[in-house]
Amino acid sequence: MSISNWMSWEGGVDLVAVTDPSLAMPNVIVHVARVVHTPVGSAPAGMIFWQPDANAAPVVMGFISPNPVVGAYFGPKIFAGTPFEQAPVLDAEITVRGEGDQATARVVVGGHVFETALGGLGEAELISRDPAPTAPFHQQGLERVAATATLTVDGNEVNVIVPPVGISGGPAAVFSPNGLYAR
């Protein structure tokens, strides 16, 4: 198989959730890594989606990184053909920590501060997923599924409900020490 676009990461925190059980689609996505490597450079990066009111536009949505070149790579190269393909690139400060059975991510973007904590991380499992409609790329890496997940936005705790499967086809609350997306 020939690969034309790829990215790899170290220290990935992924939380996909809803804030109300009546919601059919996630209104929370915090999908970040301590460092992401791409053909155009390396930097902390990821994506964020925060839509507390399902009837209003998202408050914050886009690919995030302190490096705009790295941030701009994801939409057309990795997420082509998905609703995220045309997502904006936002300047963000991203801090990820993983130690023992816990991992945290702090994202400062668009005038907001998002903090997520994953607890009760399971043992690392090797994953390999084929492309899917919301994740049109091959996925390989290590994942540690979280037993608990919390989110605060601007210092206020947000009640989140974590579905069993996230947008990438894997667990919706997971710490990934390393991995690769390729298409």
Side-chain angles (χ1 to χ4, degrees):
M1 166 179 24
S2 176
I3 300 297
S4 57
N5 298 301
W6 60 270
M7 60 170 274
S8 65
W9 65 85
E10 301 169 31
V13 169
D14 190 12
L15 174 64
V16 176
V18 295
T19 57
D20 184 301
S22 68
L23 296 175
M25 297 297 294
N27 65 328
V28 173
I29 299 173
V30 179
H31 184 64
V32 295
R34 182 175 33 252
V35 65
V36 173
H37 305 286
T38 72
V40 298
S42 300
M47 75 166 35
I48 195 149
F49 180 79
W50 171 235
Q51 186 181 22
D53 180 348
N55 297 313
V59 172
V60 180
M61 189 277 265
F63 294 105
I64 56 175
S65 179
N67 181 327
V69 174
V70 170
Y73 179 81
F74 303 116
K77 302 297 184 182
I78 302 298
F79 287 88
T82 74
F84 296 104
E85 181 175 8
Q86 299 299 320
V89 177
L90 308 171
D91 182 48
E93 175 187 311
I94 301 167
T95 306
V96 173
R97 291 190 172 85
E99 187 173 318
D101 74 339
Q102 301 212 3
T104 61
R106 182 175 191 271
V107 177
V108 180
V109 61
H112 298 280
V113 178
F114 298 86
E115 295 175 292
T116 187
L118 305 179
L121 298 177
E123 295 297 318
E125 295 181 25
L126 181 64
I127 63 101
S128 182
R129 293 187 192 98
D130 290 330
T134 58
F137 38 78
H138 295 272
Q139 302 173 56
Q140 294 182 334
L142 296 175
E143 289 183 345
R144 298 181 65 194
V145 177
T148 63
T150 62
L151 174 70
T152 62
V153 179
D154 299 329
N156 299 309
E157 188 167 341
V158 175
N159 182 38
V160 292
I161 301 162
V162 180
V165 178
I167 61 169
S168 66
V174 66
F175 175 66
S176 178
N178 56 40
L180 169 76
Y181 291 166
R183 53 183 307 175

